[in-house]
């Protein structure tokens, strides 16, 4: 077996040392939200509160994000039509929040369904910070 | 006893994959358009286009922001492309009802095949949740395979 060259080992060490949440595509989404919100960081705590709360402004069938995504975000959820939903926690589902069009589409739909309005860039960023921290 | 058999088969994880007659096969042919298949299978299976008439699809695609109690809206270009595909791949009513049905599960043939008891069973069973969850009972639904006797 060939011994890996120094640069390979170095590259591997960098990959292993990178925190889970760091993914260039996800970072770009979060950075764009920071610019829109005019803030330099997001609050996972506020994202958590918003995600787990029961709301009354939206459609009666969907009072909370947890209606479909469940309360254990490392486990999967289920749609109202019974179809399984993959886990939301980035630690168990690293592909999450890496496609900007997908993220935008579902924020628009789900915030409308649950809150009766779109989420602000600050709310979206807080939620992504929360889901990336799990 | 068919109900019992199909539920038992589901519980055992056995695929109910008996092919239907040629006509029925056409009706339950899976959605082949990639965009429609991707966008309309996020919350439930992409229902076979042949199971609703064109005017019904038209109505569904015109009301996506309030879709059975959810916002399922899409960007205008995707909405139009999916609308066109669904409408062009289904049969129109010659005389459409004032409010074309939006559910396959409210059609007369569907209620005949699935008695009201089965609707209840579907709703209260943890692994099913809704009569609209076709593939919970028809394992081959996404391949166009439904039960036949």
């Amino acid at each position: 077996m060939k011994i890996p060259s120094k640069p390979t080992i170095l590259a591997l060490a960098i990959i292993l040392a990178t925190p889970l949440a760091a993914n260039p595509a996800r970072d770009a989404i979060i950075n764009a939200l920071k610019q829109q919100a005019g803030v330099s960081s997001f609050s996972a705590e506020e994202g958590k509160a918003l995600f787990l709360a029961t709301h009354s402004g939206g459609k009666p069938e969907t009072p909370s994000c947890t209606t479909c995504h469940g309360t254990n975000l490392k486990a999967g959820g289920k749609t109202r039509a019974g179809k399984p939903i993959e886990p939301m926690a980035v630690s168990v589902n690293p592909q999450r929040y890496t496609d900007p069009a997908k993220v935008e589409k579902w924020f628009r739909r789900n915030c409308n369904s649950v809150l009766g309005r779109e989420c602000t860039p600050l709310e979206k960023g807080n939620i992504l910070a929360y889901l990336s921290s799990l | 006893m068919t109900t019992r058999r199909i539920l038992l088969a589901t519980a055992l994880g056995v695929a109910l994959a008996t092919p239907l007659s040629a006509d029925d096969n056409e009706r339950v042919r899976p959605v082949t358009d990639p965009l429609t298949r991707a966008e309309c299978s996020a919350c439930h299976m992409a229902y076979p286009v042949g199971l609703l008439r064109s005017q019904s699809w038209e109505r569904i695609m015109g009301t996506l922001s309030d879709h059975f109690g959810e916002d399922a809206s899409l960007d205008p270009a995707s909405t139009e492309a999916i609308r066109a595909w669904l409408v062009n791949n289904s049969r129109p009513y010659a005389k459409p009802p004032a409010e074309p049905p939006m559910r396959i599960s409210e059609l007369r043939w569907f209620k005949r095949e699935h008695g009201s008891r089965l609707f209840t069973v579907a709703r209260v069973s943890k692994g099913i949740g809704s009569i609209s969850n076709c593939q919970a009972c028809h394992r081959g639904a996404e391949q166009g395979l439904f039960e036949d006797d």
Side-chain angles (χ1 to χ4, degrees):
Chain A
M1 205 190 109
K2 205 172 146 253
I3 298 169
S5 65
K6 242 203 199 126
T8 313
I9 293 175
L10 196 66
L12 204 64
I14 291 172
I15 291 170
L16 290 175
T18 309
L20 251 180
N23 165 297
R26 189 180 312 115
D27 288 350
I29 292 172
I30 292 177
N31 285 335
L33 286 170
K34 280 182 189 159
Q35 285 213 319
Q36 289 172 41
V39 297
S40 57
S41 68
F42 287 120
S43 157
E45 273 309 303
E46 286 186 23
K48 176 180 184 178
L50 185 61
F51 199 92
L52 300 182
T54 301
H55 304 271
S56 55
K59 303 188 194 292
E61 293 87 348
T62 53
S64 172
C65 306
T66 61
T67 305
C68 298
H69 294 295
T71 46
N72 177 1
L73 299 173
K74 292 186 178 176
K78 214 192 295 174
T79 68
R80 287 177 45 239
K83 188 176 160 145
I85 303 179
E86 297 283 306
M88 295 295 270
V90 167
S91 58
V92 291
N93 195 352
Q95 305 99 288
R96 279 290 185 210
Y97 328 117
T98 52
D99 172 350
K102 177 175 180 182
V103 171
E104 260 315 299
K105 176 176 74 182
W106 286 101
F107 264 131
R108 177 173 45 76
R109 285 176 168 172
N110 294 343
C111 290
N112 268 334
S113 294
V114 173
L115 305 171
R117 60 168 175 83
E118 299 211 13
C119 286
T120 64
L122 182 63
E123 289 169 327
K124 293 179 199 174
N126 288 343
I127 287 170
L128 290 186
Y130 168 55
L131 297 171
S132 304
S133 75
L134 292 174
Chain B
M1 290 308 95
T2 14
T3 306
R4 195 169 298 159
R5 189 167 59 74
I6 194 172
L7 289 175
L8 186 68
T10 305
L12 294 173
V14 176
L16 290 165
T18 326
L20 305 185
S21 68
D23 254 16
D24 280 343
N25 258 335
E26 189 51 31
R27 266 195 329 144
V28 298
R29 180 170 46 92
V31 167
T32 49
D33 175 53
L35 182 65
T36 308
R37 199 176 169 92
E39 294 294 352
C40 302
S41 69
C43 303
H44 45 65
M45 71 172 284
Y47 298 116
V49 60
L51 290 181
L52 287 176
R53 301 297 189 100
S54 312
Q55 291 92 340
S56 292
W57 290 121
E58 191 88 63
R59 189 168 168 219
I60 288 171
M61 293 309 294
T63 54
L64 280 185
S65 55
D66 192 2
H67 181 73
F68 302 95
E70 278 173 37
D71 183 343
S73 61
L74 286 163
D75 63 277
S78 305
T79 308
E80 172 51 26
I82 294 172
R83 186 203 65 79
W85 189 84
L86 289 168
V87 167
N88 291 335
N89 285 275
S90 52
R91 289 190 304 137
Y93 289 105
K95 283 207 199 108
E99 299 200 324
M102 299 218 281
R103 281 186 185 271
I104 299 159
S105 59
E106 74 186 33
L107 301 179
R108 220 174 304 136
W109 72 265
F110 189 99
K111 292 201 211 146
R112 202 167 50 237
E113 287 283 350
H114 309 77
S116 60
R117 227 191 103 249
L118 200 56
F119 275 64
T120 311
V121 167
R123 195 170 54 244
V124 301
S125 306
K126 238 184 161 303
I128 308 177
S130 165
I131 195 70
S132 311
N133 192 3
C134 319
Q135 73 280 23
C137 299
H138 303 283
R139 290 296 178 103
E142 278 168 315
Q143 288 77 50
L145 301 171
F146 288 84
E147 171 70 322
D148 195 11
D149 269 3

